Amino acid sequence: MGRAIEAAGWRLDSSYARLPEPLFAASAPTPVRTPRLVVLNARLAAELGLDAAALRVDGADIFAGNSLPPGSEPIAQAYAGHQFGHFTTLGDGRAILLGEQVTSQGHRIDIQLKGAGRTRYSRGGDGRAALGPMLREYVISEGMHALGIPTTRSLAVATTGEVVMRTAPLPGAVLTRVATSHIRVGTFELAAALGRRDVLRALLDHAVARHDPELASSDPADLPVAFLEAVIERQASLVARWMLVGFVHGVMNTDNMTVSGETIDFGPCAFLDAYDPAAVFSSIDQHGRYAYGKQPSIAHWNLARLAESLLPLVPGDAEAAVERLQAVLATFPGRFARHHVAGARGKLGFAAEETEDAELFAALLAAMHEAGGDFTATFATLVDLVPDIPAASAVARRPACGPSVHVPADWRQAWRERLKREAADPGEVATRLRRANPNVIPRNHRVEESLAAAEGGDFGPLERLLAAVGDPAAESPSSQPYRAGPPAGSGPYRTFCGT
Ligand code: AMP
Ligand code: MG
C-alpha cells in the first residue's frame, strides 16, 4: 500500500499551517468504516502531477480520510462570515485541508477533504457529508470548469460505508476539493474581528503570495488597497460569468466568497431553466437575498466587508484610509458592467462595440422573461438564425424537444441589422456564437436524476452526465438528452442547504 501512495506523486507542503494559530487548528480526518472510491477525476489528477492509476489502487483510504498522503499536515481553517447578513464566527466544521500540492510549475493547490469528520469548528454538526450533495458539488463544479468559469474543482468522491442522519438516513461520503486556496472574505473578517493586526498582516501577505505575487513588492502601505482592488476585479469578472450562463450560487455569504475569484461552496446552487431575474432555488432563502439578479449587488456588499476588514492595515488617519478603500470599492459596479457587456456581446456574436449592445441584450432577456423562454437554449439557438450561414456550419442546435426558445421577430431583425455592421462573414459569427453560448450545462433535472441513481448504487447516469457537461459545445445527437429542459409539469425547482 505504502509504495502506491509514494508512487502517486504527492508533493504536499503546508504554507497555511505556518500562519498564526488563530487562523487554523491542527485536525486529522476521522477514519470511516468502509472506504470506497466511487469517482476519480483522472484528468485533474494528471494536472496536479498525481498518478490516477496509483490513486485507484489505494486512493480510497486517502480520499475517505483513513490514511494521510505523505507530507500532509492536516488542519481545519478558521473563518468568520456574514450569513444572510449576520456576522458569525465559523471555520471548517467538516472540512480538513491535507496540504498544498506543489505542481511541477511551482503552483500551490489546496487539497481538502469535505465531510472528513468533526473539527474544533464543528459546533453541533457531525462533521460529515452525504453522498448526494458531494456528487452534486462534483458535477456542478466540473461543469463550471468546462464552461471556463473559475471554480474550485473536484478530484474524488469516496463513500464511507457509514450513514449520516439528515432529515432521513443517507449514505455518507467525502469529497476531495481542489482550490488555488480556500481563503475567503470571511477569513479576513475573522482576522479583523480578532483585533490582531499581526494576524491580519500575515494573512494578507500569505494571500498576496498565493494570488497576487506581482503585488508582493509594492509598498506595504499600499498593499491592502491593491489587494482589495485585485479581489474586486476577480469577483466582478466571476459574477459576470455566472450571470452569462444563468448560474445562481444560492448562498453568497461572505464565508462562501473566495479572494482567489473561484466559485466555492456548491450548496443550493442551480442553473436557470426559464429566464427569471428573481429566480431563487434555495429553500432557506425565503426573502430572495441571493436571487439570480441580485448577485452583482450582493458581491459588492460582500466586498465592502472585505474592505472593512482590511482597514486596520491601511496606514494614516482613519478617515483617509476609509476614503481610499471606498474609492476602490466604488469601482465594482463599473468593472462588473464592463465584464458583463463584453460577455453579452460575445453571446450575441459581436466583436465590435456599440453603445446600444447592452440594450439589445437586455431586450432579449426581457422577451425570454415574458414568454418563459429557456436561458441556455435561447442563446444556443442564435447560431441557427445567422443569415446566410454556410451549409457546413448549419447544424441545428435547437433541441428537438423540451425547452421553449423565444427570439421574437422584431428582436431578430434588430440583431441581424446589428450583425451586418460587424462586417464579418457568417461562418465567423457562427464560430463566435458557438464559443460563447453553451449547448450543454448541468441541467437541474439531469443532476437530480443522476444523484438519485448513484444513491441507489448505479453510477452510470452520473458518469454519462459528467462526460456530457465536460463538453458544453457538443452538437451531436447523443448530447440531445442533456440539452433538453425539464420535463413538462415538473413544477419549481428547489435546492436544499443540507449539504
Ligand atoms: P456551508 O453552509 O456549507 O457554507 O457551511 C457553513 C458552516 O457550517 C461552515 O463553517 C461549515 O463547516 C459548517 N458545517 C456545515 N455542515 C456541517 C456538518 N455536517 N458538521 C459540522 N459543520 C458543518
Ligand atoms: Mg461554506
Side-chain angles (χ1 to χ4, degrees):
M1 172 172 120
R3 185 165 305 160
I5 290 181
E6 297 298 333
W10 293 103
R11 281 181 68 196
L12 292 175
D13 186 33
S14 300
S15 64
Y16 196 91
R18 295 193 283 275
L19 287 172
E21 189 74 44
L23 292 175
F24 69 93
S27 193
T30 306
V32 302
R33 194 175 300 149
T34 324
R36 190 163 83 87
L37 185 60
V38 291
V39 197
L40 177 68
N41 191 335
R43 201 178 297 172
L44 177 57
E47 284 172 35
L48 293 167
L50 295 170
D51 179 346
L55 293 176
R56 280 204 180 90
V57 175
D58 57 12
D61 275 335
I62 289 180
F63 295 131
N66 282 24
S67 62
L68 291 172
S72 172
E73 282 177 60
I75 60 165
Q77 291 175 313
Y79 47 87
H82 277 83
Q83 299 196 305
F84 289 90
H86 303 286
F87 182 80
T88 169
T89 55
L90 297 155
D92 291 329
R94 50 136 173 209
I96 288 174
L97 181 61
L98 296 179
E100 299 140 20
Q101 173 77 356
V102 182
T103 67
S104 53
Q105 296 88 36
H107 298 136
R108 285 172 182 275
I109 312 287
D110 276 9
I111 310 286
Q112 191 201 63
L113 300 182
K114 188 166 172 180
R118 287 178 52 79
T119 74
R120 183 193 288 178
Y121 313 110
S122 298
R123 299 178 291 179
D126 61 3
R128 292 298 183 190
L131 177 62
M134 294 305 99
L135 293 175
R136 191 164 194 279
E137 171 154 347
Y138 190 113
V139 177
I140 300 184
S141 63
E142 287 306 302
M144 291 289 270
H145 175 72
L147 290 167
I149 298 175
T151 176
T152 64
R153 307 268 321 261
S154 297
L155 179 59
V157 175
T159 49
T160 60
E162 296 174 6
V163 163
V164 293
M165 279 312 295
R166 297 294 181 257
T167 44
L170 296 171
V174 179
L175 170 77
T176 302
R177 179 160 70 180
V178 168
T180 57
S181 88
H182 285 82
I183 305 169
R184 304 146 191 269
V185 168
T187 318
F188 280 88
E189 289 182 276
L190 175 74
L194 291 169
R196 296 252 316 260
R197 274 187 86 249
D198 60 326
V199 174
L200 196 52
R201 184 82 225 178
L203 178 63
L204 175 64
D205 290 341
H206 176 87
V208 166
R210 302 260 321 242
H211 301 298
D212 299 287
E214 70 288 352
L215 298 180
S217 56
S218 32
D219 185 336
D222 296 332
L223 196 59
V225 180
F227 175 69
L228 176 66
E229 183 172 9
V231 178
I232 285 176
E233 174 58 21
R234 285 192 283 268
Q235 285 293 338
S237 165
L238 178 67
V239 177
R241 283 156 173 251
W242 289 356
M243 301 302 283
L244 292 162
V245 295
F247 179 74
V248 186
H249 182 282
V251 60
M252 286 177 72
N253 295 331
T254 54
D255 51 301
N256 293 335
M257 182 184 257
T258 58
V259 301
S260 67
E262 289 176 348
T263 312
I264 196 172
D265 278 1
F266 296 83
C269 65
F271 283 84
L272 296 179
D273 288 306
Y275 174 75
D276 178 4
V280 175
F281 299 106
S282 169
S283 57
I284 61 164
D285 190 1
Q286 284 160 4
H287 303 289
R289 179 180 170 91
Y290 300 135
Y292 170 77
K294 289 198 179 152
Q295 297 184 119
S297 60
I298 284 290
H300 193 195
W301 190 90
N302 288 351
L303 291 161
R305 308 289 78 77
L306 179 62
E308 284 164 7
S309 306
L310 290 166
L311 181 60
L313 296 179
V314 183
D317 79 279
E319 211 170 305
V322 168
E323 255 172 48
R324 285 184 70 192
L325 290 165
Q326 270 177 347
V328 174
L329 192 58
T331 65
F332 178 85
R335 288 173 194 265
F336 170 80
R338 272 196 296 284
H339 286 292
H340 190 256
V341 76
R345 283 196 181 98
K347 286 182 88 67
L348 298 183
F350 308 156
E353 296 178 14
E354 288 190 12
T355 329
E356 296 77 25
D357 293 341
E359 237 167 84
L360 190 64
F361 187 75
L364 181 57
L365 294 182
M368 265 185 234
H369 188 201
E370 198 179 304
D374 185 273
F375 183 86
T376 304
T378 301
F379 283 109
T381 202
L382 288 182
V383 70
D384 297 336
L385 307 177
V386 178
D388 310 319
I389 191 99
S393 327
V395 183
R397 287 186 121 206
R398 182 177 180 146
C401 58
S404 61
V405 167
H406 280 279
V407 185
D410 55 343
W411 188 89
R412 199 178 302 188
Q413 198 185 333
W415 175 62
R416 285 178 169 173
E417 289 301 319
R418 170 67 182 82
L419 273 182
K420 276 188 206 156
R421 297 197 293 278
E422 282 288 307
D425 81 82
E428 163 67 22
V429 172
T431 304
R432 288 181 204 155
L433 288 166
R434 285 201 165 85
R435 205 181 295 136
N437 296 309
N439 243 346
V440 181
I441 56 156
R443 291 262 183 194
N444 305 320
H445 65 289
R446 283 282 168 200
V447 172
E448 295 305 327
E449 173 191 273
S450 73
L451 301 189
E455 282 171 333
D458 177 8
F459 285 80
L462 179 83
E463 294 292 346
R464 290 191 287 278
L465 178 62
L466 281 170
V469 303
D471 183 12
E475 297 188 338
S476 61
S478 63
S479 70
Q480 181 75 39
Y482 299 96
R483 292 155 57 186
S490 341
Y493 184 60
R494 274 267 155 277
T495 58
F496 300 91
C497 241
T499 58

